[in-house]
Amino acid sequence: MRKSIKIITFFILISIYGNAQVVINEMSTNNYTTYIDNDGDYEDWIELYNAGGASVNLLNYRITDDVLLPSKWVFPSVSIAAGGYLTLYASGKNKVDFIDHWESLVLENNSWQYIIPVAPIASWKTNGFNDASWNTGNGGIGYGDGDDNTTVANPTTSVYARRTFNIVDATAIQSLILYMDYDDGFVAYLNGVEISRDNIAASPLEYNSFADNDREAVMYTAGNPTAFSISKTVFQPLLVTGTNVLAIEIHNKSSISSDMSMRPFLLAGISNATINYQALPGWFSVPLATNSIHTNFKLSAGGEFIGIFDS
């Protein structure tokens, strides 16, 4: 059905707007793996293409699935570069999560408060916890591979680490990705609430729990850290304007493991052009689904009219 919609749309656009600069290039009514939006959902999508030689701002352009309602959904101020593409989610959510640029909220080599726990520590993940008595050191934190700015005792079963950071305007954060290079398992928390974990399923999770399997870090051999995208529905209620805390516990597979690594990066997609935070790591590349722009209608798998109109 995807191909039939594409062909029908093509001929409608050619007959009405033969000289159009911005055109509907492709669409999908069965998106299960290609694009994921900032809510963590797979939605139908429409891809626009700027066939002209200059950038086009789509402010007040309209797109519709009803020929009798040409202004069904009106574009915000968003531009497509010459020869560029823009993906819209036809989800019915009717919202715009537009990312102007990316910045680093937390970097591995920032200063961290950390401790090797020898007993449970109540509320250590929360924003208001007093970590003044903890050790201070720059990340990464670990031992054994020669890639740690702060070396802990060898061997070590687990390390708790905290990094506070300031947010100028929480409403401007449209996307959040935690990148981790780790050996062996970890759990990450934002303001006391778990946002990601890997290779450790212990329940209840204790300070002396072991990771599920051996896992080798990769950055010390020129690899890139693993990305863990945090759904907007998860981070938006947690992130606050002002002081926030990223807390991470790293666990080894055994009490005699020869190495341990914790190298975290918390990167944010920002909706405005203001630079407030830290520079991006050199290995970072902008995710394919950077912007999450949603129309107020969905697509029919059975085929339908789709039209785009300028102002």
Side-chain angles (χ1 to χ4, degrees):
M1 292 300 179
R2 173 176 163 181
K3 183 179 290 185
S4 65
I5 295 176
K6 186 174 175 181
I7 293 172
I8 291 169
T9 304
F10 173 79
F11 282 110
I12 290 172
L13 288 172
I14 289 297
S15 61
I16 300 176
Y17 299 108
N19 296 317
Q21 181 165 322
V22 176
V23 297
I24 297 172
N25 187 61
E26 192 174 2
M27 64 186 68
S28 173
T29 61
N30 294 286
N31 175 31
Y32 299 110
T33 59
T34 306
Y35 291 126
I36 185 169
D37 68 14
N38 290 350
D39 297 327
D41 299 327
Y42 290 94
E43 303 285 1
D44 297 341
W45 52 266
I46 303 168
E47 181 185 79
L48 304 183
Y49 171 62
N50 179 2
S55 176
V56 175
N57 190 313
L58 298 178
L59 180 64
N60 293 327
Y61 274 61
R62 290 99 69 197
I63 193 166
T64 184
D65 65 345
D66 187 339
V67 69
L68 299 179
L69 296 173
S71 296
K72 189 167 185 178
W73 192 80
V74 181
F75 282 85
S77 179
V78 56
S79 296
I80 310 180
Y85 299 85
L86 178 68
T87 299
L88 312 174
Y89 290 100
S91 65
K93 295 179 181 179
N94 190 27
K95 64 176 186 174
V96 176
D97 296 335
F98 182 72
I99 296 172
D100 177 84
H101 68 285
W102 289 78
E103 295 183 61
S104 298
L105 303 180
V106 175
L107 291 171
E108 58 145 347
N109 58 4
N110 290 154
S111 177
W112 293 75
Q113 299 297 109
Y114 73 95
I115 194 171
I116 299 174
V118 295
I121 302 175
S123 305
W124 72 271
K125 316 154 195 169
T126 62
N127 203 343
F129 178 80
N130 185 353
D131 57 15
S133 64
W134 287 24
N135 302 304
T136 301
N138 292 345
I141 299 172
Y143 67 88
D145 293 324
D147 60 340
D148 307 301
N149 287 319
T150 297
T151 303
V152 297
N154 178 359
T156 293
T157 298
S158 69
V159 174
Y160 291 173
R162 292 166 45 90
R163 167 69 185 177
T164 57
F165 60 98
N166 187 69
I167 293 295
V168 175
D169 179 8
T171 64
I173 309 297
Q174 298 297 326
S175 188
L176 205 61
I177 302 177
L178 175 68
Y179 287 88
M180 283 288 297
D181 192 33
Y182 54 102
D183 178 346
D184 292 300
F186 81 94
V187 185
Y189 310 87
L190 178 61
N191 292 332
V193 177
E194 181 178 328
I195 56 172
S196 190
R197 75 164 61 198
D198 193 45
N199 199 30
I200 186 163
S203 181
L205 181 61
E206 303 290 352
Y207 72 95
N208 56 357
S209 297
F210 293 119
D212 296 341
N213 299 289
D214 287 315
R215 184 190 187 279
E216 188 68 14
V218 299
M219 292 187 74
Y220 79 99
T221 56
N224 289 335
T226 302
F228 296 88
S229 182
I230 314 304
S231 170
K232 191 174 182 181
T233 58
V234 172
F235 78 75
Q236 195 170 48
L238 304 176
L239 199 68
V240 298
T241 298
T243 302
N244 297 263
V245 63
L246 175 65
I248 296 175
E249 54 184 293
I250 189 81
H251 291 255
N252 255 325
K253 174 64 172 67
S254 75
S255 60
I256 58 172
S257 177
S258 62
D259 56 3
M260 170 185 273
S261 292
M262 186 202 77
R263 302 179 67 177
F265 307 80
L266 187 63
L267 274 54
I270 315 294
S271 62
N272 57 48
T274 305
I275 306 296
N276 291 308
Y277 310 107
Q278 302 178 78
L280 293 167
W283 46 258
F284 175 73
S285 59
V286 176
L288 290 176
T290 292
N291 294 318
S292 191
I293 303 176
H294 298 258
T295 67
N296 59 356
F297 59 86
K298 298 184 177 183
L299 299 180
S300 169
E304 63 180 321
F305 169 88
I306 299 292
I308 184 170
F309 302 84
D310 65 20
S311 57

